[in-house]
Amino acid sequence: MTEPEPTTTKMGRPVFEVEGASVTYDMDRGVSRVLDDATIDIFEEEILGVVGESGSGKSMFASSLLNAVPPPGTLDGEIRYHRDGEVIDLLGLSPEQLRRVRWEDVAMVFQGAQSSFNPTISIRRHFEETLEAHEYDIENGLEHARQLLADLYLDPERVLGSYPHELSGGMQQRALIALSLVLEPDVLVMDEPTAALDLLMQRSILSLLENVKEKYELTVVFITHDLPLVAGLADRLAVMYSFKFVEIGRAEDVFSNPKHPYTRALLNAIPNLDTPRSRMHPIEGSAPDPVNVPTGCSYHPRCPLADEQCEAAEPPLAETTDKHHAACYYWEEAMEEIELSIESDEPAVDDTVVGRQSDEPVVSVDAVDVHFEQGGGGLFGFFSDPDTVHAVDDANLEIYENDVVALVGESGCGKTTLGKAIIAAQRPTNGTVRYRGQDIWGTRDGRVDGEIPWEQIRRSLQMIHQDPGSSLNSHRKIKSSLEDPLRRWHPNMDPGDREERILGMLEYTGMSPPTDYALRYPHQLSGGEKQRVALIRALLMNPDVILADEAVSALDVSLRLEMMDLMLELQDAFDTSYVFISHNLSNARYFAGNADGRIGVMYLGELVELGPVDEVIDEPLHPYTKVLKWATDDMELSDRIEDPPIRGIDIPDPVNPPAGCRFHTRCPEARTVCREESPSLDEAVSAHPTACFREYPMEHPYWDSEPVDDAEETVTGDPIDAG
Amino acid sequence: MFLNDWLITPLRVIWDDWRARVGGIIILLYVLMGTIGVVLISEPRPGDGPRLIRPFQDWAHPLGTDINGNDLFAQTVHATPPMLEMIVAGAVFTTALAMVVGTLSGYKGGIVDRLLMTFTDILLTIPGLPLVIVLALVLDPRQPWVVGVILTINAWAGLARAIRSQVLTIREEAYIEAARLMGISTWRILLKDITPSLMPYVLVNFVNAARTVVFASVALYFLGILPDTFLNWGVMMNYAYSVGGALYTSGTAHWLFVPLMTIVVLSFGLILFAQGTDRVFNPRVRARHASQDDLEPGEDDMSGEVATQIRG
Amino acid sequence: MVNYYLARTAQALFTVFAVMTLAFGLIRLMPGGPMDFVRAQLQQEAGAVDQAQINAMVEVYTNVHPEQPLLDQYVDYMSGIMRGDLGVSMWYDRPVSEILAMALPWTVFVMTISLAFTFGIGISLGAAMAYAEGSRFDSISTLVSIFLNSIPYYVAAIVMVYFLGYESGMFPIGGRISSDVTPGLNIPFIASAFYHAALPIASFVITAFGIQALAMRGNSIRVLGEDYLRVAQLRGLPPHDIALRYIGRNAILPMYTGFMISIGFMFGGSVILEEIFAYPGVGFYMFRGIEARDYPLMMGAFILITVAVVIGVYVADLTYGKLDPRASTKGGDREAF
Ligand code: SF4
Ligand code: SF4
């Protein structure tokens, strides 16, 4: 790609020129080309976002920039790196020269921070050995490291003195970013650096990253599957599909005016807070296998505009309009025919969904606490005091028939535990859970002699788990796993009928030919397919309530809508309710909104806001909900990444939750009163109750109280420092 | 279908791995020796042949004879059935007890777990051989199966530990929770969902227990600690060593080396078999053999894990 | 962290206590067991002396007072052992503790060196095999490792004592040192000690290193696939740092289980091995005790061996806590113990 001297943007000189880079692996089944002829320039001090779904070759591109393709892969083509006017051919370097370039000039951050650290040595040692290996001055280097850690909102001394496992996921990821910057590189390549984290943490890290990038004059290559996440951060975006770049351009162009049919479809498939729900659509079909890429344009099997030319020859990545490249013959048609949901002319209102909720609750949760004991163990465990984790405190919630309740919050906020308490998978420490008015655990223990037997309660409350990999027994064929519920509850069912039932469900959920799927082992299924099998297994019980625990989070963005649509469709057919757990407000909005459900927001074990979907999303009341909304994918580019509206990035320890309002340590609106008194969520007061003094209907001392001063907070918050 | 899943496919997978193939053949030979062999070959009697014939000299006595003219090959063969009985008793005892303790401890948790594991840890720390010796002296066992059980009196502890930690991991798997929520009984969950994942451990340890029995029984018979109520390779060694003075009398060495090699070959076969078979339990490999589906290379190699499991 | 050590210590003490109780149970409670045996022997030897006298003698020999209530017997027995009183050997007619105290250092000497060599060779070979994974060296080493592991150590001992001892005379066939050296820190003494210990050590090492090598190989290959290794390489760490601090450390940690099992295995094996090599260590005396039905000696040796193993395992456990920062919180990489 020969680019004339840029005129309009802030693009400076290129730091990287990548030309025809390809990565291949020889496999039994043939040559697998996992990066195909990548050509792109990366400019000084820009943030380039590289977007693609899993298996699009984006990680290979990241590794190629350090000439660090995992063996036995081979990297061909040309990658030139510019260092102060000097041009370095990355593929022609001696091992020692390459060693120098890596980390001193180009550093990399990986996805799993936990697995990126050596578990047996301290964080400080990681910094020291890196400095030693590159003959940097250790003292100055550590000083720089402390600065970096502080820039990333970490307590430098504490982090340096810790072992990796002693830090939370978000802290590890930030420590890893600091480690990658300790040698002051020019370029930072980040491969899905935040994918394993909560949205709020992701957003927070991104906003810190922007500051760090400005401060240290970095060029950042940010690789992700999450297009809206980088859209606000990046200067330019490059979209990958099937191991190639299919579209490259300025971020605002690609995001608001995409030209490649794939990018357009991808944008329409992403659940978000702005687009009317009715206009989000999944992408049909699935991404190609690296050994078996379709001829011509590799997107043609899924592209609505495909014709013979597309099947015959591969479209080049060509400039369409100013600095905006796309690999498609019909990009102009695409812009007309594939309407972007966000800019549709239709009125941006959803058809009012009328819920079919019953009047009487199926499950009601009454003042439920769930506490866990941590630590201890062994007969000699009495030497260590077990810590009590307050997973859920004083939760009240009712689930109706055909209801959808989405529980959202950061990881560790107790949403899964509450969900499990609802479906009687977790015995509460205090409080009662009732099924159609009958105490569930009382029935279980034989204390309550109700009309409904325990077996019936048990089968009425089911669950779909988060991780598709572990939701099915890898030793059993699909058919055998699906037979379990039928055997258990219809022992007299004829084997032929049983099989027919299973095959019918497989077919219905789009797994055809069903006879073929039934005989497969789980590892022969994709993640989405495994989740569908788990859904079928739950539905075969004819349950009243299904707990869907982050059931779509592990799936690719474009598959999430499809799965949620399927679940909603089956809700109609099976008359079941869902408790949908997610850390992602957009998913919650899409799912619960389409059934006129509710959203419950949890923070540190407490429900802090509960209300109808649109109210919670459009007019969040609790300051924490506002923060979550800030952290959620935004389809409007106008508001660029800004500082998080929150006073601390890390969640307090649930073993010792803060006194008073639990959110007061991070709440931007906190006042002194919030430290002592705890607000409660009272459903009697309104249909959209909120546990915050600001929303109390009557006068509250909050309004006369002093705002919390951060400086003072740190001192009083940590008595050891004060002394 | 059932036959195919549980017999033919596993056998095909086993046959595919040379280690399992060689090991399996060796084990089969010993089993044949202990069953058909004893019928075909008459019991050794003193004066069967000339004294102290060396091996491979006289084909009437392929492995030679001892100082009384006893045929060594016949002795070796006739020592096999009690040995097999001891092996089976010891291995079944170890595996069964470890399965029960390990799964119970892992699945139940709480105080049951603490008590069982403390007990297991203590047994695990007590050195096996001295304990077995003391027990053997006090109990003076005379049936092969009792000997087998005594020899493995604390061999199950390690396996119980391993199974417990496996169960702890598996218990957290989503599919187990799903099964529980479906109201499927604990026993069925253990049977259908948990045990299949434990099979590689169990198999490897079954073979380990077998080796423990062979090693320890021969050692104890050799030392004369166990009463020589029936023929054993260790008893042969004991006679060769004490009566024959095999170490320093010339012409008697083979008397000692014949049973010696018998043990080494059997033990080699057992290890090879364990190393090879563990792939049988890997569904990826099994699926490939059932449907000829081809999968990514290298995903089926678990031999490293097995190696860690095999200990002296 | 402190709690971790406390719990380990308590566990070790409890194990020792449990073993002693077991020993007491075996001696006292088994019908036709050691007590009756000792009594019968004494009666035979002493002829018709009166019962009280015999009881007194039984007490001297076995450290158990047959007349007292069970609980008192038990307390006396346990406190006797605590004071180092293991009874009197009937065969040697000397206090058991005295005999064993002389023997113990030699057994510990042989075992420590055997363990060091077994794991030294096993770990180096395993690492080399992992490094050359799939090569001819790897497959041959694997085969050899499996084969050597299938030889019982006492078989190796017999073969060696036959060929290297009796046939060729290259190594001594018994004893701990030559009679012509003076004990002390002088070179001839140390050399002689090693010379006499060489074959016992070799029997253990040759038959045991293979399995450790295979374990190390598996662990290393697993670590080679870890992300942190890739990150370390990208950070440009020198290869020997990566080999030691990254691969070595993380691959060796899971081998602790095997190490602890080996401690018990080798100490226990000393009973057979020291007999074959006529090497007067604790195991040798235990065997003497068995042969002569000298129960005090036998049980004393049994307790001593167990306590030695418990201490060995305990020490290993403490160092493990030092090496793996996760040990005190999550139990680390190790499953057993
Ligand atoms: S080239 Fe053809 S198939 Fe490919 S994206 Fe464009 S229109 Fe679709
Ligand atoms: S009660 Fe106070 S601290 Fe809590 S959310 Fe409301 S304003 Fe913030």
Side-chain angles (χ1 to χ4, degrees):
Chain A
M1 185 164 66
T2 45
E3 200 121 0
E5 204 49 35
T7 45
T8 49
T9 65
K10 65 170 195 175
M11 290 177 197
R13 286 162 297 150
V15 265
F16 264 115
E17 291 173 280
V18 181
E19 253 181 68
S22 297
V23 176
T24 48
Y25 284 85
D26 280 331
M27 300 206 325
D28 291 351
R29 303 186 289 156
V31 174
S32 155
R33 186 173 289 272
V34 290
L35 183 66
D36 192 0
D37 196 18
T39 297
I40 191 171
D41 288 356
I42 301 169
F43 299 98
E44 258 177 16
E45 287 181 49
E46 74 163 343
I47 299 184
L48 172 70
V50 177
V51 180
E53 293 180 82
S54 56
S56 62
K58 58 188 194 303
S59 292
M60 279 303 154
F61 175 69
S63 304
S64 303
L65 292 179
L66 281 84
N67 188 5
V69 173
T74 42
L75 170 63
D76 306 303
E78 223 172 298
I79 299 178
R80 286 185 296 275
Y81 169 66
H82 296 250
R83 175 168 55 194
D84 310 325
E86 184 192 354
V87 182
I88 296 169
D89 172 13
L90 213 58
L91 271 52
L93 292 181
S94 73
E96 176 56 23
Q97 287 168 322
L98 189 60
R99 190 181 80 88
R100 293 265 162 205
V101 169
R102 290 174 183 163
W103 234 259
E104 287 179 33
D105 294 309
V106 188
M108 187 158 175
V109 177
F110 292 89
Q111 170 174 5
Q114 168 91 64
S115 57
S116 294
F117 287 110
N118 182 347
T120 53
I121 64 180
S122 68
I123 302 285
R124 180 193 304 279
R125 195 78 194 94
H126 281 90
F127 279 95
E128 285 171 357
E129 61 184 15
T130 312
L131 293 164
E132 276 165 23
H134 293 268
E135 291 140 27
Y136 278 50
D137 182 78
I138 307 276
E139 270 318 302
N140 291 343
L142 278 182
E143 202 37 57
H144 183 52
R146 281 189 197 99
Q147 186 57 47
L148 282 165
L149 290 168
D151 288 341
L152 291 162
Y153 281 35
L154 291 167
D155 172 355
E157 286 314 318
R158 212 200 115 203
V159 169
L160 285 177
S162 304
Y163 283 100
H165 72 276
E166 291 165 349
L167 302 178
S168 74
M171 291 172 151
Q172 286 174 348
Q173 197 67 53
R174 281 176 284 156
L176 189 62
I177 294 175
L179 179 61
S180 66
L181 294 176
V182 71
L183 301 183
E184 304 180 54
D186 295 332
V187 183
L188 183 60
V189 182
M190 309 181 88
D191 186 5
E192 295 265 20
T194 58
L197 305 172
D198 282 323
L199 270 184
L200 180 51
M201 181 58 79
Q202 290 188 12
R203 282 286 151 148
S204 307
I205 289 185
L206 247 55
S207 70
L208 296 176
L209 187 66
E210 183 138 71
N211 301 340
V212 168
K213 181 233 153 195
E214 291 300 330
K215 184 167 171 188
Y216 298 99
E217 299 174 352
L218 286 170
T219 306
V220 176
V221 180
F222 194 100
I223 311 238
T224 180
H225 66 277
D226 193 342
L227 181 51
L229 180 76
V230 274
L233 174 80
D235 299 304
R236 286 196 307 147
L237 284 177
V239 180
M240 294 192 76
Y241 181 77
S242 177
F243 320 105
K244 290 188 199 69
F245 285 111
V246 292
E247 183 160 7
I248 302 174
R250 278 185 298 253
E252 52 273 32
D253 291 347
V254 174
F255 195 62
S256 3
N257 237 339
K259 293 191 168 146
H260 196 280
Y262 170 67
T263 317
R264 298 182 79 83
L266 186 63
L267 273 175
N268 284 348
I270 298 170
N272 61 75
L273 296 185
D274 305 312
T275 322
R277 283 186 297 270
S278 54
R279 290 202 226 127
M280 303 179 198
H281 297 292
I283 312 181
E284 305 290 335
S286 56
D289 178 34
V291 181
N292 210 350
V293 176
T295 54
C297 173
S298 51
Y299 189 57
H300 82 251
R302 301 169 83 182
C303 180
L305 303 175
D307 66 5
E308 294 90 51
Q309 189 189 3
C310 304
E311 279 175 48
E314 194 183 323
L317 182 67
E319 182 151 7
T320 53
T321 49
D322 179 40
K323 300 261 179 304
H324 191 162
H325 297 65
C328 173
Y329 295 118
Y330 303 114
W331 58 270
E332 280 159 311
E333 287 82 348
M335 291 182 67
E336 302 209 334
E337 287 181 27
I338 306 175
E339 194 182 26
L340 278 187
S341 51
I342 188 84
E343 55 185 27
S344 159
D345 298 332
E346 291 167 38
V349 212
D350 279 316
D351 313 337
T352 332
V353 184
V354 184
R356 304 190 293 127
Q357 281 90 336
S358 59
D359 296 333
E360 288 297 310
V362 190
V363 175
S364 47
V365 170
D366 194 5
V368 158
D369 297 341
V370 184
H371 299 166
F372 295 113
E373 305 247 303
Q374 215 175 39
L379 197 59
F380 301 101
F382 48 77
F383 289 111
S384 46
D385 296 327
D387 294 325
T388 305
V389 180
H390 295 251
V392 175
D393 267 333
D394 191 28
N396 295 287
L397 185 64
E398 290 180 337
I399 313 286
Y400 301 91
E401 277 175 47
N402 293 308
D403 201 0
V404 172
V405 175
L407 294 175
V408 295
E410 288 164 279
S411 57
C413 72
K415 53 191 191 301
T416 300
T417 312
L418 177 56
K420 286 189 178 177
I422 293 171
I423 60 153
Q426 171 67 49
R427 189 187 278 266
T429 317
N430 299 305
T432 358
V433 186
R434 292 193 183 82
Y435 174 78
R436 299 191 190 280
Q438 185 177 321
D439 181 355
I440 293 181
W441 293 101
T443 311
R444 169 79 219 251
D445 299 340
R447 279 184 281 114
V448 172
D449 210 14
E451 290 165 19
I452 314 170
W454 159 251
E455 278 75 26
Q456 191 186 332
I457 300 179
R458 179 65 284 148
R459 68 179 293 191
S460 304
L461 308 172
Q462 294 298 313
M463 175 165 184
I464 310 170
H465 291 80
Q466 167 171 18
D467 173 15
S470 110
S471 57
L472 300 172
N473 185 343
S474 60
H475 291 270
R476 297 172 69 182
K477 291 179 179 165
I478 301 306
K479 179 162 164 262
S480 157
S481 285
L482 288 180
E483 273 170 353
D484 273 352
L486 294 176
R487 271 185 211 270
R488 173 71 180 84
W489 298 104
H490 306 280
N492 302 323
M493 199 172 193
D494 180 78
D497 292 349
R498 204 156 57 202
E499 180 156 347
E500 204 170 302
R501 187 90 197 273
I502 291 172
L503 296 182
M505 287 298 284
L506 285 170
E507 175 99 62
Y508 186 84
T509 53
M511 281 182 278
S512 53
T515 38
D516 173 39
Y517 274 92
L519 293 182
R520 292 197 191 178
Y521 284 99
H523 70 90
Q524 294 163 310
L525 263 55
S526 73
E529 287 166 342
K530 280 183 228 176
Q531 271 325 48
R532 272 179 274 171
V533 173
L535 175 63
I536 297 176
R537 184 176 55 189
L539 284 171
L540 284 173
M541 306 286 293
N542 264 326
D544 291 326
V545 180
I546 293 179
L547 170 68
D549 182 11
E550 300 272 13
V552 298
S553 309
L555 305 181
D556 256 327
V557 188
S558 66
L559 295 175
R560 289 185 190 162
L561 275 196
E562 205 180 336
M563 181 71 191
M564 289 195 276
D565 282 344
L566 180 67
M567 288 168 70
L568 290 168
E569 201 179 315
L570 289 166
Q571 171 172 39
D572 287 342
F574 282 82
D575 275 338
T576 167
S577 300
Y578 288 109
V579 176
F580 182 87
I581 291 180
S582 180
H583 66 269
N584 184 323
L585 216 50
S586 322
N587 289 344
R589 167 182 181 249
Y590 183 85
F591 192 75
N594 271 328
D596 190 20
R598 287 166 295 162
I599 289 184
V601 180
M602 288 190 77
Y603 183 75
L604 270 184
E606 295 181 333
L607 262 174
V608 294
E609 180 166 356
L610 177 66
V613 174
D614 292 327
E615 278 184 39
V616 173
I617 299 293
D618 298 337
E619 296 144 39
L621 298 178
H622 197 280
Y624 180 64
T625 316
K626 293 179 186 160
V627 175
L628 282 185
K629 190 180 173 191
W630 167 84
T632 309
D633 295 345
D634 208 327
M635 300 309 270
E636 312 278 340
L637 257 191
S638 48
D639 28 333
R640 300 270 303 186
I641 295 266
E642 65 228 41
D643 279 345
I646 194 162
R647 290 178 17 251
I649 291 182
D650 294 296
I651 315 174
D653 187 359
V655 173
N656 283 312
C661 173
R662 289 191 178 171
F663 191 48
H664 85 251
T665 51
R666 298 165 81 196
C667 179
E669 312 283 356
R671 302 202 178 178
T672 33
V673 134
C674 308
R675 288 203 204 126
E676 282 113 40
E677 278 182 55
S678 31
S680 63
L681 183 111
D682 192 350
E683 265 188 281
V685 184
S686 82
H688 181 173
T690 304
C692 173
F693 297 132
R694 299 168 64 86
E695 300 305 325
Y696 273 35
M698 297 143 290
E699 275 303 298
H700 192 274
Y702 170 86
W703 298 106
D704 306 323
S705 168
E706 289 293 309
V708 169
D709 181 359
D710 260 332
E712 175 208 3
E713 180 71 13
T714 27
V715 176
T716 50
D718 201 338
I720 302 163
D721 278 2
Chain B
M1 180 77 188
F2 181 82
L3 209 66
N4 198 27
D5 270 9
W6 290 104
L7 202 67
I8 300 176
T9 314
L11 281 181
R12 268 224 313 263
V13 179
I14 290 181
W15 194 250
D16 225 43
D17 185 282
W18 71 266
R19 294 167 301 184
R21 203 160 56 217
V22 174
I25 292 174
I26 292 177
I27 296 173
L28 196 68
L29 280 180
Y30 277 80
V31 172
L32 289 179
M33 195 155 89
T35 48
I36 303 178
V38 284
V39 180
L40 294 182
I41 288 149
S42 52
E43 263 187 73
R45 261 187 317 261
D48 262 353
R51 302 168 60 220
L52 289 174
I53 302 181
R54 300 203 170 208
F56 315 121
Q57 308 263 324
D58 174 354
W59 289 111
H61 307 285
L63 297 180
T65 55
D66 68 13
I67 207 156
N68 296 322
N70 269 321
D71 183 71
L72 286 180
F73 180 61
Q75 285 191 44
T76 309
V77 169
H78 281 269
T80 314
M83 183 58 101
L84 291 179
E85 208 178 314
M86 280 190 275
I87 289 178
V88 170
V92 167
F93 169 76
T94 308
T95 321
L97 197 60
M99 279 290 268
V100 171
V101 172
T103 19
L104 199 70
S105 194
Y107 201 78
K108 282 266 176 214
I111 189 73
V112 177
D113 180 31
R114 289 182 181 202
L115 285 175
L116 282 177
M117 280 307 112
T118 306
F119 180 59
T120 310
D121 281 350
I122 290 174
L123 264 190
L124 209 52
T125 320
I126 301 178
L129 193 71
L131 179 67
V132 167
I133 290 178
V134 171
L135 282 179
L137 280 178
V138 172
L139 300 175
D140 194 31
R142 287 171 185 276
Q143 290 90 1
W145 68 268
V146 183
V147 178
V149 170
I150 290 181
L151 293 177
T152 50
I153 195 74
N154 70 345
W156 58 271
L159 176 58
R161 262 280 179 197
I163 287 181
R164 171 180 172 273
S165 73
Q166 278 292 302
V167 172
L168 280 182
T169 322
I170 300 169
R171 198 179 63 164
E172 297 303 316
E173 296 275 350
Y175 64 86
I176 299 294
E177 183 164 44
R180 256 205 309 264
L181 295 183
M182 285 190 293
I184 291 173
S185 70
T186 307
W187 281 115
R188 201 175 151 79
I189 292 177
L190 286 174
L191 191 73
K192 277 280 195 176
D193 285 324
I194 293 190
T195 24
S197 322
L198 299 177
M199 282 330 269
Y201 285 87
V202 170
L203 180 90
V204 169
N205 283 278
F206 194 90
V207 172
N208 269 349
R211 250 159 36 88
T212 308
V213 172
V214 176
F215 278 26
S217 71
V218 171
L220 296 199
Y221 281 111
F222 170 57
L223 293 179
I225 291 170
L226 283 168
D228 51 350
T229 33
F230 41 82
L231 252 179
N232 183 285
W233 305 320
V235 176
M236 290 168 70
M237 284 166 63
N238 183 346
Y239 286 156
Y241 187 78
S242 52
V243 180
L247 286 183
Y248 39 85
T249 318
S250 69
T252 51
H254 70 276
W255 187 3
L256 187 60
F257 282 89
V258 164
L260 243 155
M261 285 318 292
T262 316
I263 303 160
V264 172
V265 172
L266 174 58
S267 146
F268 187 55
L270 287 170
I271 296 192
L272 278 181
F273 188 70
Q275 288 254 319
T277 29
D278 117 276
R279 307 187 329 145
V280 180
F281 300 101
N282 187 337
R284 290 171 185 277
V285 184
R286 205 157 47 184
R288 175 161 59 206
H289 279 262
S291 63
Q292 299 305 320
D293 235 355
D294 89 326
L295 292 148
E296 286 92 280
E299 297 219 30
D300 50 355
D301 187 16
M302 283 166 60
S303 48
E305 277 169 47
V306 175
T308 10
Q309 283 301 305
I310 303 178
R311 308 265 184 217
Chain C
M1 207 60 187
V2 175
N3 295 332
Y4 169 79
Y5 292 125
L6 272 176
R8 296 289 139 179
T9 312
Q11 168 109 33
L13 290 177
F14 188 72
T15 307
V16 170
F17 164 80
V19 170
M20 289 175 183
T21 308
L22 179 75
F24 173 78
L26 287 174
I27 290 181
R28 181 64 190 80
L29 299 176
M30 291 262 171
M35 282 290 286
D36 296 337
F37 193 86
V38 171
R39 184 184 303 274
Q41 260 184 348
L42 286 174
Q43 241 149 10
Q44 250 175 25
E45 278 169 26
V49 272
D50 68 289
Q51 201 60 27
Q53 235 177 325
I54 290 190
N55 277 347
M57 286 172 78
V58 167
E59 182 199 325
V60 171
Y61 280 113
T62 60
N63 214 355
V64 171
H65 313 252
E67 288 301 271
Q68 291 179 352
L70 201 59
L71 189 68
D72 290 352
Q73 289 183 24
Y74 175 66
V75 172
D76 278 356
Y77 178 79
M78 295 298 270
S79 57
I81 296 183
M82 295 298 172
R83 279 182 273 110
D85 179 3
L86 293 167
V88 175
S89 160
M90 295 156 64
W91 179 259
Y92 293 96
D93 216 10
R94 275 164 55 200
V96 170
S97 43
E98 204 180 295
I99 301 174
L100 295 181
M102 294 290 294
L104 184 65
W106 295 95
T107 303
V108 172
F109 166 67
V110 171
M111 295 309 140
T112 318
I113 299 196
S114 301
L115 278 172
F117 273 107
T118 302
F119 280 82
I121 297 175
I123 286 170
S124 331
L125 180 66
M129 282 156 74
Y131 185 75
E133 193 198 346
S135 69
R136 175 174 286 251
F137 164 73
D138 180 27
S139 28
I140 291 177
S141 307
T142 305
L143 196 66
V144 169
S145 298
I146 296 180
F147 179 72
L148 288 180
N149 188 238
S150 53
I151 302 175
Y153 58 94
Y154 55 83
V155 168
I158 292 172
V159 171
M160 275 193 283
V161 89
Y162 177 71
F163 286 109
L164 301 177
Y166 288 103
E167 290 283 287
S168 72
M170 274 160 57
F171 283 93
I173 51 168
R176 306 187 291 217
I177 43 165
S178 323
S179 46
D180 52 2
V181 296
T182 36
L185 266 181
N186 54 60
I187 302 218
F189 173 73
I190 294 173
S192 173
F194 273 100
Y195 182 52
H196 282 76
L199 288 188
I201 291 172
S203 328
F204 269 139
V205 174
I206 288 175
T207 54
F209 79 86
I211 206 63
Q212 305 303 344
L214 288 181
M216 180 67 188
R217 174 182 179 274
N219 293 344
S220 307
I221 289 174
R222 189 177 48 71
V223 175
L224 283 172
E226 296 278 358
D227 284 348
Y228 58 76
L229 201 80
R230 188 159 173 238
V231 177
Q233 279 158 350
L234 289 182
R235 279 192 284 142
L237 301 193
H240 75 267
D241 275 11
I242 294 188
L244 282 181
R245 249 199 323 271
Y246 280 72
I247 307 177
R249 200 164 192 174
N250 286 291
I252 288 172
L253 281 179
M255 297 190 59
Y256 256 79
T257 313
F259 183 72
M260 295 183 188
I261 292 177
S262 300
I263 295 177
F265 181 73
M266 289 190 176
F267 264 90
S270 68
V271 180
I272 303 181
L273 208 65
E274 292 179 351
E275 160 63 15
I276 293 175
F277 289 106
Y279 191 88
V282 180
F284 178 84
Y285 285 110
M286 179 161 178
F287 189 74
R288 282 284 90 84
I290 297 164
E291 288 261 274
R293 294 295 187 267
D294 181 349
Y295 285 95
L297 182 58
M298 181 179 109
M299 294 315 278
F302 171 59
I303 291 173
L304 191 65
I305 289 176
T306 310
V307 170
V309 171
V310 171
I311 292 174
V313 168
Y314 174 64
V315 170
D317 222 339
L318 295 191
T319 53
Y320 184 83
K322 281 249 175 293
L323 282 177
D324 190 345
R326 292 160 299 178
S328 52
T329 47
K330 286 193 305 187
D333 261 357
R334 202 168 33 106
E335 47 194 32
F337 288 89

